[in-house]
Amino acid sequence: MVDITIRKRPRTEAVLTQRKFFKKTARGKVIKVLRERYLRDDVGCGIDGCSVCHDLRDFSLPSSGSSAHAQYPNGHFVLPDTNVFLAQMDLMESDLFNPPIILLQTVMEEVRHRSLPLYNRLKALIRAEDKRIWVFYNEYRSETAVIREEGESPNDRNDRGIRMATAWYKTHISLARPPVRGQPSRPSPTVVLLSDDVANRQKAEKEGLVSISVRKYVEALQDTSKLLDLLSAPGSDEVEPTRVASARQALYPDYLPMSTLGAGVKSGQLHQGHFNANQYNYLEGNVPVAAFDKPILLIGRENMNRAVQGDVVAVEVFSESEWKAPADEVVEQETTLRNDDADESEEENDDEEAIAERKVLQAERARREASVRQPTGRVVGIIKRNWRSYVCHIDSTSLTSSNTTSLSQQTVFATPVSRLLPRIRLRTRQAPALLGQKILVTIDRWDSTSRYPEGHFVRALGKVESKEAEQESLLLEFDIPYRPFGKAILDCLPPEGDHWVVPPKTADNPVWRDREDLRDLIICSIDPPGCQDIDDALHARTLPNGNIEAGVHIADVSHFVHPDNPMDSEAAARGTTVYLVDKRIDMLPALLGTNLCSLRPHVERLAFSVIWELTPEADIVNVRFTKSVIASKSAFTYEEAQIRKDDPKLDDDLTKSIRLLNSLAQKLKANRMAAGALNLASPEVKIQLDSSESSDPIDVEQKELRETNSLVEEFMLLANISVARKIEEAFPQTAVLRRHLPPPRSNFEKLQDILQKRKGLTLDVSSSRALADSLDKCLDPNEPAFNTLVRIMATRCMLSAEYFCSGSVARDTFGHYGLASSIYTHFTSPIRRYADVLVHRQLSAAIGYSSLHATLHSKSHVERVLDVVNRRHRMAQMAGRASVEFYVGLALKSRGKGKATTEEAFVIRTFRNGLAVYVSKLGIEGLVTFKRETQFDPDAYTMTVPAASPEAVGTTIAVFDKVTVEIEVEKDKNTQRGRVKMTLRSPVDSSTL
Amino acid sequence: MAVPSLSKAERAYIQASLQASPPLRADGRSLLDFRTVLLETGVAPLANGSAKLNIGKAPQEGGGGTEVIAATKLEVEDVETGDGVDGGRLVCTVTCSPSAYPHLSTNALDELQYDLTILLHQTLSHPTLHPNNLGILPHKKSWLLSLDLVILADAGNVVDALFMAARAALWDTKVPRTRPLQYQSRKAGDALKNADAMEVEGLPEITSAFDTRDMARAAADFELPDYWDEGEVLEGRDRWPVCVTLNLLPPSHFLDATLLEEASTPIRLLLAYSFPHKSQPNLQAMRFIGSGEVVLTQLKALNADGEKYARSLFDSLETKLRDEDIRRNVKARDKFAVR
């Protein structure tokens, strides 16, 4: 029996036993919190074989510490200070850094107080198997507990507690090794206080403790060069004695303190929003905020003030007289700043680059009256950094050329793949080895004295343009979770695995409970070629009363994915399946996605069916929802289905059913169009791969659309709308729906203006119906592709559709603008979209098949899940597009065999010094820049290229003009970044301009 | 107050012995003696200030005496929405434990509570005593200082006990330190020091739209700079008054009456005096309780006497309060260090 000692003490000891503190709540109240503290004498030291705390087991630290460090030959333990975890987490997480670590409770609490993400990483670190970390609860051990002195700051108190614990360990280790007579006394291991706080180190040394800075500690380890790269860049406030503190001029204004920002935002004097960099002009960015229709424009480095894409910033808006229009010029970082030296760029303040930048800004001011102004301001502080790891290339010119083979440390620039990010300066010893590789870089800080952010190297992804490196970098860039599914997740799958089948139909089988047997129905699926995850199937038949019964059968994923288990959480976190050109990153394990839930032909599968009774005019008479068992009769591709339908010789049931479905679909579509649904366009191209193994692209072609595509689409829309109505009725507060808000009219202003001025066409955007009609009228008899182009541009003016929880927004904003439906949801692809899984659960509860899991009754939970799903959805789309773009590049290369391709293109935007063009055949957008001066008329959307001889009239190019461009893929010499380069061939040749 | 049934004979007996020469009291005190006063501060850890006070506890007899607990709690109030008052306010509440007055009906107990609440509240929330550190943000946020007193037992002289306990709890009260947060736009000059080109072109100097002094001064919110710190004591904590009850039994009067003595006294005079540091004592409140009569000419002499008694009560309370502060902080910490 363990003795239980009741350690109740009188109130007179309150000052020791109670820790009081105040807390300010979100609603502005101040609460006093009281914590009782019980001090004990049996908190273990964690050192294996310790003779003093011998009655405690599983001590994880080796008894003689680690002898891997040259300075401590007798072995040592590392006791890190809080600042080590706050600044050097990458080092602590490295596989190469594994001395025995004593982690104090004080340190953990301080980390938690300072940064929650770092605290979570720290907790993961403690659990990691390859780390030897012992958490010592020093605040609860009577010898090491400290109480705050009068007038002592919390920081000093914690530092004192850390030193006290270090001192205790020192005596404890010597106590635990009493000298044995007759044996030479073994020297005891040292406890090393690891701290970057100079004051704390000095105090520790005064008290006779061993302490060392992180850098010095790492320098004496093996693998120094790799570990040193992981150190975050030293801060400007560091007072390392070896470093010469040079007084540098601040390039950026300082940020206001966090508390002031909060007050400013609250009082409406500042605006909070996400910073978006401009991809055409690195000296410009904008911040969309609620207070203005248009985003706040930030012009120039000082006003952007070290904000990085995605950061949440606080912006001060200038008075209206200083508002400006966004730039109409392409400004590329590489060209303007190509001579910048990584080592010393911050010192030269008036160098030519700065002058060049200023020129750009001045040019802009000169014509700022010209076009529409928008709110302009400057960043006064960062509310939240959203820095992550970025995929970069090392800029070869930033290497000091003399030492391309040496291993000495040098400062280099890393250029992120994304055009939205600034160059990152990092110090590395492996620079030569990293040239021509894709690498992952983390930003550590951006001081006001430094033009560029400073970061450190995390890991190399592989050679540039190797498939693996490009693929992984794409996934990292768009923050897509791509790790294989873990064991806990795979354990949620049915134990039968591949051999799972629908059990035989018996009265008492739970699988068959309330399930309709639709195995005899003539059901088929129609999908793109090569589709493995078939999540929908269809049927139609004529009823005796002349009406038609049509059914949509969706894979019953919710039968396998139960709420709140590891598989469900993982699927919720992934949100969607991501399709890249040559890879699919599944939301659910492949067993479900491509087998058990895939409605393959000739096998029995569980399904969730929506069955309508429709009049021959496609009006709904009745709809019902049921869980079912189906056996698909055939899996068609769009093409096969089309051929079968059109083949007059065939007259079997299956063909008839397809024809029936097709005729209904045409009527459904007509009804939808009459209601004002938009026929939008987005550039969709198909990459033809050589073979499934090599995945070398051969060519790019535009996707073909057939009647059968529209057949499937119409029925899916119908199913989604019917289901949306049902679940909204059953769960008005928490139904998972999808909406598409009508775009604000101002989004179309520019397009309307261009159309009016260039083509004399008007675009009526008063309603989706009016827009659809006027889009139909946007025709250029000479140019059939013009209509598609306008549709693409109109699509870009719209907002994106989003999932939402029905209780969270007003009832009148439920509508789907693009589909012209008053309510909509996603029900038909539960294998690849998580929202559909939620909808399945809600529908299943709505028809009384199962009860609704508690989490789906909670509005806040549904909102949280949908936020993630919305974000993942967006990221997945962007990743897919980026993947296509990469392959288009490869295809161009292989097609042209090194030579350039010439294609027709449309001008979609004009700049002061260039054109943005769209190559419809390849679905890519590109930029043509001119080095020579051009005449630019921003109001008429034209630019005039002066002719070579002064007498001749220059060539004018306007938006919507058809031009011919030469496309080649060129590798940036410095960064190895492959990019599409376009040069104008006609009406003028821009290669010399 | 709590009047246990007392026969006329008993009352006459007590009055006679008090008026005898030398006066005789049941517990052997002289007329102006107080019973033993026990005081402890910081009894309620979650309160911002607290005290427990006992008058007349007899340890050998297992307790007894008048017992009062006082505690203060600070809450943030919004001035703009009309809840709070600019500069903060003090609200006193007295609760009588039913066990202290077993003979009173619920209604009578409520009345008694109400009377005492009014007395304490009117005296303590008087503007002359208002501590000036109860404001957080001018015209926006302020502290509400709630002072709650509970009478746990009544063995006479409960008003003096209440005032002493209130003074001790207010003395002990610490106001969390706050720092106003405001957004103040900087001058255009230092923000745009690199924008030399603009000035050269002769454009007007760029100033922020928000650089109007008054707006910038207006703090929007506050924060707690040091959440471990209990805070600072109330401003003017030596001003809080003490009260002495003069039990008038003409021609003499006596202090600190027991329940029986109270019941035998026709009229009592309550005097609350404040002794601000380095200035004249102030009479903060005066009340008569009882059915007897007092001639106006006597009042001046009574007041003078009352001030004298209050002064000595004030001094000993002050000494005790300072002792308590030391006991709870310095001594406790020393004890921890040598453990």
Side-chain angles (χ1 to χ4, degrees):
Chain A
M1 266 298 280
V2 182
D3 277 331
I4 297 173
T5 326
I6 297 171
R7 305 184 64 97
K8 185 177 160 81
R9 283 150 310 173
R11 204 173 48 228
T12 46
E13 283 181 27
V15 70
L16 321 179
T17 62
Q18 289 172 348
R19 309 170 79 189
K20 284 178 245 183
F21 57 92
F22 289 98
K23 216 168 81 179
K24 185 164 173 258
T25 64
R27 301 180 65 184
K29 300 281 175 215
V30 173
I31 297 176
K32 189 170 180 180
V33 184
L34 201 66
R35 295 256 183 278
E36 195 74 21
R37 176 163 73 164
Y38 295 92
L39 299 182
R40 29 197 314 161
D41 301 320
D42 56 353
V43 178
C45 68
I47 299 170
D48 187 33
C50 173
S51 62
V52 183
C53 344
H54 51 83
D55 53 327
L56 286 154
R57 303 276 178 285
D58 53 71
F59 280 180
S60 56
L61 301 178
S63 66
S64 55
S66 152
S67 45
H69 199 274
Q71 277 185 30
Y72 310 109
N74 301 332
H76 72 288
F77 300 101
V78 171
L79 197 149
D81 193 356
T82 316
N83 53 49
V84 175
F85 289 105
L86 293 179
Q88 310 287 7
M89 193 53 107
D90 281 329
L91 171 75
M92 301 310 274
E93 283 176 342
S94 163
D95 296 340
L96 299 168
F97 185 82
N98 47 11
I101 295 172
I102 298 163
L103 178 60
L104 298 182
Q105 177 196 9
T106 312
V107 172
M108 278 179 75
E109 284 175 3
E110 223 178 341
V111 171
R112 184 172 66 174
H113 178 60
R114 299 283 289 276
S115 158
L116 218 50
L118 282 176
Y119 176 70
N120 288 331
R121 281 169 77 183
L122 177 59
K123 279 208 314 207
L125 199 62
I126 296 168
R127 284 194 302 267
E129 275 162 15
D130 54 340
K131 294 279 174 190
R132 291 172 294 174
I133 299 183
W134 178 260
V135 182
F136 180 62
Y137 286 90
N138 61 318
E139 299 278 355
Y140 297 141
R141 172 124 197 165
S142 60
E143 289 98 331
T144 52
V146 287
I147 52 170
R148 191 169 162 189
E149 303 278 349
E150 195 82 40
E152 193 178 32
S153 77
N155 205 10
D156 288 347
R157 176 211 171 274
N158 288 338
D159 283 354
R160 189 160 58 85
I162 292 167
R163 290 197 304 273
M164 198 171 218
T166 318
W168 177 83
Y169 259 101
K170 195 177 157 192
T171 42
H172 183 78
I173 289 174
S174 62
L175 277 179
R177 296 157 190 265
V180 182
R181 193 179 303 192
Q183 284 178 13
S185 65
R186 277 187 306 151
S188 41
T190 324
V191 178
V192 184
L193 175 62
L194 197 63
S195 174
D196 279 341
D197 177 354
V198 182
N200 199 14
R201 283 211 307 270
Q202 280 168 352
K203 278 188 193 149
E205 266 150 33
K206 220 173 270 171
E207 289 166 27
L209 306 171
V210 181
S211 68
I212 190 167
S213 76
V214 178
R215 183 164 288 276
K216 286 217 183 101
Y217 178 84
V218 173
E219 273 167 1
L221 285 176
Q222 295 124 6
D223 298 314
T224 305
S225 61
K226 282 182 187 160
L227 285 175
L228 278 178
D229 273 0
L230 291 171
L231 287 188
S232 65
S236 57
D237 54 340
E238 192 173 33
V239 203
E240 202 77 349
T242 51
R243 206 179 144 100
V244 186
S246 61
R248 285 176 175 152
Q249 199 183 344
L251 292 168
Y252 299 101
D254 279 331
Y255 292 139
L256 298 179
M258 196 61 195
S259 44
T260 317
L261 295 179
V265 170
K266 217 174 215 175
S267 65
Q269 289 162 292
L270 295 179
H271 301 277
Q272 180 179 336
H274 285 271
F275 175 78
N276 293 323
N278 182 330
Q279 59 165 330
Y280 295 119
N281 182 347
Y282 77 100
L283 290 174
E284 198 180 287
N286 64 53
V287 179
V289 297
F292 297 99
D293 284 348
K294 290 184 174 172
I296 299 175
L297 187 67
L298 307 170
I299 298 176
R301 264 179 204 291
E302 286 84 28
N303 289 340
M304 295 204 286
N305 199 358
R306 293 172 276 158
V308 175
Q309 172 75 13
D311 286 351
V312 182
V313 296
V315 188
E316 184 196 62
V317 177
F318 298 143
S319 63
E320 220 171 315
S321 61
E322 293 160 41
W323 288 9
K324 291 170 187 161
D328 40 21
E329 185 158 26
V330 182
V331 184
E332 283 180 339
Q333 183 158 218
E334 286 83 7
T335 47
T336 322
L337 296 179
R338 76 187 147 240
N339 298 327
D340 223 355
D341 186 352
D343 271 324
E344 47 197 338
S345 61
E346 63 267 51
E347 271 127 40
E348 32 186 326
N349 201 19
D350 262 330
D351 55 9
E352 48 182 306
E353 284 78 30
I355 294 165
E357 276 185 8
R358 209 166 296 147
K359 224 192 235 159
V360 168
L361 290 176
Q362 271 173 19
E364 214 168 310
R365 234 188 330 273
R367 45 103 214 118
R368 67 177 173 181
E369 309 296 330
S371 359
V372 202
R373 295 179 181 190
Q374 72 191 63
T376 308
R378 64 188 179 96
V379 171
V380 292
I382 305 283
I383 309 251
K384 187 168 163 259
R385 287 286 190 197
N386 268 331
W387 289 347
R388 53 189 173 91
S389 297
Y390 301 104
V391 181
C392 302
H393 306 274
I394 296 274
D395 189 344
S396 64
T397 53
S398 65
L399 259 69
T400 334
S401 58
S402 61
N403 50 16
T404 10
T405 47
S406 84
L407 275 175
S408 64
Q409 186 165 54
Q410 45 184 319
T411 309
V412 296
F413 278 131
T415 312
V417 173
S418 162
R419 304 180 55 90
L420 303 169
L421 298 166
R423 287 198 275 187
I424 303 168
R425 187 193 347 236
L426 76 155
R427 298 216 276 174
T428 174
R429 287 169 193 280
Q430 310 165 57
L434 296 178
L435 271 182
Q437 298 231 35
K438 289 211 155 189
I439 61 168
L440 212 53
V441 172
T442 304
I443 304 186
D444 298 318
R445 63 163 53 78
W446 195 344
D447 290 327
S448 59
T449 52
S450 159
R451 179 171 297 155
Y452 300 103
E454 289 181 53
H456 66 263
F457 165 73
V458 180
R459 71 189 165 95
L461 300 174
K463 218 107 197 77
V464 166
E465 295 208 321
S466 72
K467 293 268 160 43
E468 296 71 36
E470 294 292 343
Q471 204 173 73
E472 195 177 356
S473 83
L474 207 83
L475 296 173
L476 285 165
E477 234 359 72
F478 294 101
D479 198 17
I480 292 164
Y482 61 96
R483 303 252 168 253
F485 291 99
K487 187 175 177 306
I489 296 161
L490 297 177
D491 282 349
C492 301
L493 295 170
E496 298 90 344
D498 270 341
H499 305 294
W500 184 92
V501 285
V502 177
K505 184 176 182 180
T506 50
D508 56 346
N509 194 313
V511 174
W512 277 91
R513 180 182 63 87
D514 294 337
R515 258 182 210 280
E516 243 175 275
D517 185 354
L518 303 178
R519 287 178 290 182
D520 298 333
L521 276 183
I522 297 168
I523 292 172
C524 66
S525 61
I526 307 176
D527 286 285
C531 178
Q532 286 179 303
D533 41 357
I534 305 173
D535 40 22
D536 50 76
L538 301 146
H539 88 271
R541 61 178 178 190
T542 336
L543 294 174
N545 64 2
N547 284 346
I548 301 163
E549 179 194 86
V552 165
H553 312 274
I554 306 297
D556 190 7
V557 170
S558 59
H559 178 82
F560 297 98
V561 183
H562 298 288
D564 239 4
N565 69 14
M567 184 156 67
D568 182 55
S569 321
E570 179 68 18
R574 294 191 176 209
T576 172
T577 294
V578 182
Y579 293 88
L580 304 184
V581 171
D582 53 348
K583 193 179 166 75
R584 191 183 68 220
I585 294 104
D586 286 320
M587 179 182 86
L588 291 169
L591 176 66
L592 287 186
T594 59
N595 189 353
L596 303 190
C597 288
S598 180
L599 303 176
R600 296 170 169 186
H602 317 302
V603 262
E604 293 177 9
R605 285 286 176 247
L606 300 182
F608 208 150
S609 303
V610 184
I611 298 168
W612 299 271
E613 186 182 337
L614 299 165
T615 63
E617 271 62 55
D619 293 323
I620 300 174
V621 177
N622 184 22
V623 59
R624 63 192 178 93
F625 309 93
T626 177
K627 294 254 182 172
S628 60
V629 178
I630 62 161
S632 166
K633 299 294 171 282
S634 185
F636 295 113
T637 63
Y638 290 122
E639 199 175 352
E640 286 164 2
Q642 184 74 35
I643 291 168
R644 189 161 188 142
K645 179 184 88 65
D646 295 338
D647 190 345
K649 288 194 287 290
L650 287 171
D651 198 28
D652 55 312
D653 283 344
L654 201 50
T655 316
K656 270 196 265 180
S657 125
I658 294 177
R659 286 183 190 143
L660 205 50
L661 284 168
N662 191 49
S663 67
L664 285 172
Q666 282 170 350
K667 282 163 196 155
L668 286 170
K669 183 163 187 178
N671 289 347
R672 218 159 49 78
M673 289 300 158
L678 293 174
N679 191 0
L680 298 174
S682 54
E684 277 208 73
V685 291
K686 204 172 104 185
I687 309 284
Q688 275 215 333
L689 296 181
D690 196 0
S691 68
S692 53
E693 283 83 44
S694 77
S695 74
D696 276 327
I698 301 178
D699 211 348
V700 185
E701 58 182 47
Q702 272 189 304
K703 270 191 189 166
E704 238 181 298
L705 286 181
R706 288 171 218 280
E707 230 177 340
T708 42
N709 288 55
S710 143
L711 182 163
V712 175
E713 190 189 336
E714 287 308 323
F715 275 97
M716 293 308 133
L717 292 177
L718 191 64
N720 286 338
I721 293 170
S722 298
V723 170
R725 285 210 185 98
K726 178 77 182 174
I727 59 173
E728 202 272 332
E729 183 187 294
F731 307 105
Q733 281 304 301
T734 59
V736 173
L737 301 176
R738 187 170 173 84
R739 65 171 174 176
H740 183 205
L741 289 173
R745 195 164 291 206
S746 60
N747 281 14
F748 286 106
E749 277 170 13
K750 190 122 188 184
L751 180 62
Q752 282 175 314
D753 194 41
I754 297 177
L755 278 172
Q756 183 66 51
K757 283 184 178 148
R758 299 305 319 156
K759 297 278 180 185
L761 295 167
T762 43
L763 202 60
D764 184 357
V765 295
S766 52
S767 71
S768 63
R769 181 68 212 268
L771 180 61
D773 290 346
S774 56
L775 275 177
D776 288 340
K777 289 188 198 106
C778 282
L779 293 172
D780 186 338
N782 307 323
E783 194 45 72
F786 172 69
N787 185 264
T788 320
L789 185 69
V790 175
R791 282 183 199 276
I792 291 173
M793 288 170 85
T795 311
R796 292 202 181 159
C797 298
M798 292 191 201
L799 304 171
S800 50
E802 58 175 6
Y803 297 106
F804 69 103
C805 171
S806 60
S808 318
V809 303
R811 187 75 179 76
D812 55 351
T813 61
F814 279 13
H816 196 292
Y817 180 78
L819 297 174
S821 167
S822 61
I823 191 164
Y824 191 65
T825 191
H826 267 169
F827 166 75
T828 50
S829 297
I831 299 177
R832 55 190 178 88
R833 291 188 306 227
Y834 188 70
D836 300 48
V837 178
L838 295 180
V839 171
H840 271 238
R841 286 184 192 143
Q842 288 184 336
L843 184 63
S844 153
I847 60 170
Y849 178 81
S850 60
S851 62
L852 194 60
H853 193 258
T855 52
L856 280 178
H857 279 304
S858 148
K859 203 159 86 178
S860 61
H861 178 265
V862 173
E863 275 171 22
R864 213 164 40 240
V865 171
L866 291 184
D867 272 349
V868 175
V869 173
N870 277 327
R871 195 171 66 85
R872 292 288 184 211
H873 191 83
R874 224 167 29 241
M875 287 298 189
Q877 280 184 328
M878 290 190 318
R881 243 175 264 152
S883 171
V884 169
E885 222 163 86
F886 170 69
Y887 273 96
V888 168
L890 284 191
L892 283 177
K893 231 180 179 179
S894 67
R895 183 203 271 181
K897 297 271 177 288
K899 276 178 286 170
T901 330
T902 310
E903 285 287 355
E904 285 189 338
F906 286 100
V907 176
I908 53 173
R909 207 169 152 189
T910 48
F911 294 99
R912 175 165 295 278
N913 58 348
L915 300 168
V917 296
Y918 172 70
V919 184
S920 55
K921 200 164 168 204
L922 301 173
I924 53 171
E925 241 184 275
L927 213 54
V928 180
T929 52
F930 303 101
K931 290 187 195 75
R932 276 231 322 251
E933 281 294 306
T934 55
Q935 281 168 9
F936 173 62
D937 183 354
D939 291 326
Y941 307 101
T942 61
M943 63 175 299
T944 307
V945 184
S949 58
E951 313 80 75
V953 184
T955 319
T956 302
I957 302 171
V959 172
F960 291 134
D961 280 3
K962 193 154 136 189
V963 294
T964 315
V965 288
E966 188 178 279
I967 308 165
E968 58 188 328
V969 182
E970 137 191 293
K971 236 190 213 175
D972 191 298
K973 278 194 292 298
N974 299 332
T975 59
Q976 302 296 304
R977 186 156 88 177
R979 56 177 198 170
V980 173
K981 196 192 165 192
M982 296 197 185
T983 33
L984 211 55
R985 279 274 163 259
S986 79
V988 280
D989 194 330
S990 76
S991 54
T992 55
L993 293 171
Chain B
M1 308 262 142
V3 192
S5 55
L6 197 63
S7 70
K8 271 187 181 166
E10 280 174 303
R11 195 179 301 154
Y13 177 74
I14 293 168
Q15 285 180 349
S17 41
L18 283 166
Q19 284 165 327
S21 176
L24 290 168
R25 294 175 79 171
D27 45 13
R29 287 181 286 156
S30 73
L31 288 182
L32 302 180
D33 273 354
F34 257 77
R35 288 168 287 178
T36 322
V37 178
L38 302 172
L39 174 70
E40 193 183 347
T41 58
V43 291
L46 273 176
N48 295 74
S50 59
K52 185 171 170 180
L53 182 116
N54 184 295
I55 302 183
K57 184 169 185 163
Q60 302 89 333
E61 290 155 35
T66 302
E67 190 149 309
V68 176
I69 286 184
T72 59
K73 189 83 185 152
L74 286 161
E75 282 172 67
V76 180
E77 280 193 317
D78 215 338
V79 179
E80 283 164 325
T81 57
D83 296 340
V85 175
D86 197 20
R89 62 194 178 111
L90 170 72
V91 173
C92 296
T93 317
V94 179
T95 314
C96 297
S97 157
S99 64
Y101 301 96
H103 56 283
L104 288 186
S105 69
T106 321
N107 284 343
L109 201 63
D110 283 348
E111 265 170 42
L112 177 62
Q113 281 179 181
Y114 181 72
D115 289 346
L116 291 172
T117 299
I118 292 290
L119 174 62
L120 265 284
H121 183 76
Q122 283 183 344
T123 312
L124 295 179
S125 64
H126 193 269
T128 53
L129 297 173
H130 189 75
N132 62 16
N133 57 351
L134 286 182
I136 302 173
L137 302 172
H139 312 298
K140 286 219 170 69
K141 304 248 182 203
S142 63
W143 292 110
L144 161 66
L145 176 60
S146 311
L147 170 64
D148 287 287
L149 299 118
V150 183
I151 301 169
L152 294 176
D154 184 357
N157 202 17
V158 77
V159 180
D160 288 10
L162 284 173
F163 269 96
M164 269 193 277
R167 178 172 158 78
L170 289 166
W171 173 277
D172 187 42
T173 299
K174 300 214 172 60
V175 186
R177 277 177 237 273
T178 55
R179 184 162 59 203
L181 296 181
Q182 52 187 311
Y183 170 65
Q184 196 162 13
S185 11
R186 286 163 298 176
K187 282 227 184 87
D190 41 287
L192 299 163
K193 61 179 149 206
N194 295 324
D196 37 26
M198 292 191 194
E199 270 82 8
V200 174
E201 283 176 10
L203 289 170
E205 193 192 348
I206 284 153
T207 50
S208 163
F210 303 106
D211 205 10
T212 52
R213 279 286 143 134
D214 290 348
M215 272 173 83
R217 284 273 160 77
D221 204 355
F222 69 96
E223 65 173 0
L224 302 172
D226 182 357
Y227 54 95
W228 290 108
D229 191 20
E230 286 241 53
E232 56 187 349
V233 294
L234 281 174
E235 185 270 337
R237 63 172 181 171
D238 51 349
R239 284 202 301 262
W240 299 113
V242 289
C243 172
V244 281
T245 307
L246 275 65
N247 300 280
L248 303 181
L249 200 63
S252 62
H253 56 262
F254 64 97
L255 301 179
D256 191 21
T258 61
L259 274 184
L260 291 177
E261 287 167 341
E262 274 179 1
S264 323
T265 313
I267 186 163
R268 286 175 287 152
L269 172 60
L270 310 180
L271 294 170
Y273 272 99
S274 156
F275 297 93
H277 194 53
K278 285 186 200 153
S279 70
Q280 283 298 307
N282 287 332
L283 179 60
Q284 295 288 349
M286 183 162 88
R287 295 278 193 289
F288 280 107
I289 299 176
S291 51
E293 284 178 11
V294 179
V295 188
L296 190 61
T297 47
Q298 286 180 327
L299 207 55
K300 195 156 190 172
L302 287 173
N303 269 352
D305 282 344
E307 187 187 324
K308 201 169 67 203
Y309 308 140
R311 167 63 86 177
S312 79
L313 185 61
F314 180 86
D315 287 344
S316 39
L317 189 60
E318 177 98 353
T319 318
K320 178 63 183 167
L321 286 172
R322 291 193 189 281
D323 269 0
E324 282 286 300
D325 281 356
I326 294 170
R327 172 187 69 81
R328 283 174 48 213
N329 293 302
V330 182
K331 279 190 184 160
R333 226 177 262 128
D334 290 349
K335 227 165 101 194
F336 179 77
V338 301
R339 135 203 75 122

